[in-house]
Amino acid sequence: MFFQYGDCETTYLTSKDKRLGWAIQQIGHINREVDSDLFSAIVHHIIGQQISTAAQATIWSRLLTAAGTVTADSLTSLGRDRLQQIGMTYKKQITCWILRSR
């Protein structure tokens, strides 16, 4: 699934910032993948905070391999130590646990 936008949105952004408008014209339409599952998307972004894109991709791949589908229950079942081995810091795990409890 890709983030949906069209001429209306790019025209608006172009009108708000000249440099952004120039970049939009040079680059063209971008197909940006989105995760339709909100919990999984948030966990993915938490993993990516303050690390490189390559490191995020590696950790996310390991997490998908270990958990299958990223849900609150699948993360809980992996446990703290396994998530640490995958590459998630304890602080990031706590953030995910807080999300789970809401």
Side-chain angles (χ1 to χ4, degrees), residues 11-37:
T11 299
Y12 174 79
L13 292 172
T14 299
S15 73
K16 294 297 181 183
D17 186 291
K18 268 187 181 178
R19 287 184 283 177
L20 179 59
W22 179 85
I24 289 170
Q25 289 177 338
Q26 296 301 309
I27 297 168
H29 189 84
I30 297 173
N31 287 319
R32 169 84 179 176
E33 278 193 63
V34 294
D35 189 339
S36 60
D37 178 64

Side-chain angles (χ1 to χ4, degrees), residues 1-80:
M1 178 195 314
F2 294 102
F3 181 77
Q4 299 297 310
Y5 69 95
D7 291 338
C8 180
E9 292 80 9
T10 54
T11 299
Y12 174 79
L13 292 172
T14 299
S15 73
K16 294 297 181 183
D17 186 291
K18 268 187 181 178
R19 287 184 283 177
L20 179 59
W22 179 85
I24 289 170
Q25 289 177 338
Q26 296 301 309
I27 297 168
H29 189 84
I30 297 173
N31 287 319
R32 169 84 179 176
E33 278 193 63
V34 294
D35 189 339
S36 60
D37 178 64
L38 184 58
F39 183 81
S40 176
I42 291 172
V43 170
H44 193 189
H45 289 286
I46 289 169
I47 289 171
Q49 291 173 340
Q50 299 181 357
I51 62 174
S52 73
T53 303
Q56 178 186 20
T58 298
I59 294 168
W60 185 249
S61 176
R62 289 178 189 160
L63 184 60
L64 289 175
T65 299
T69 303
V70 177
T71 64
D73 291 336
S74 68
L75 292 183
T76 302
S77 70
L78 287 174
R80 180 179 168 173

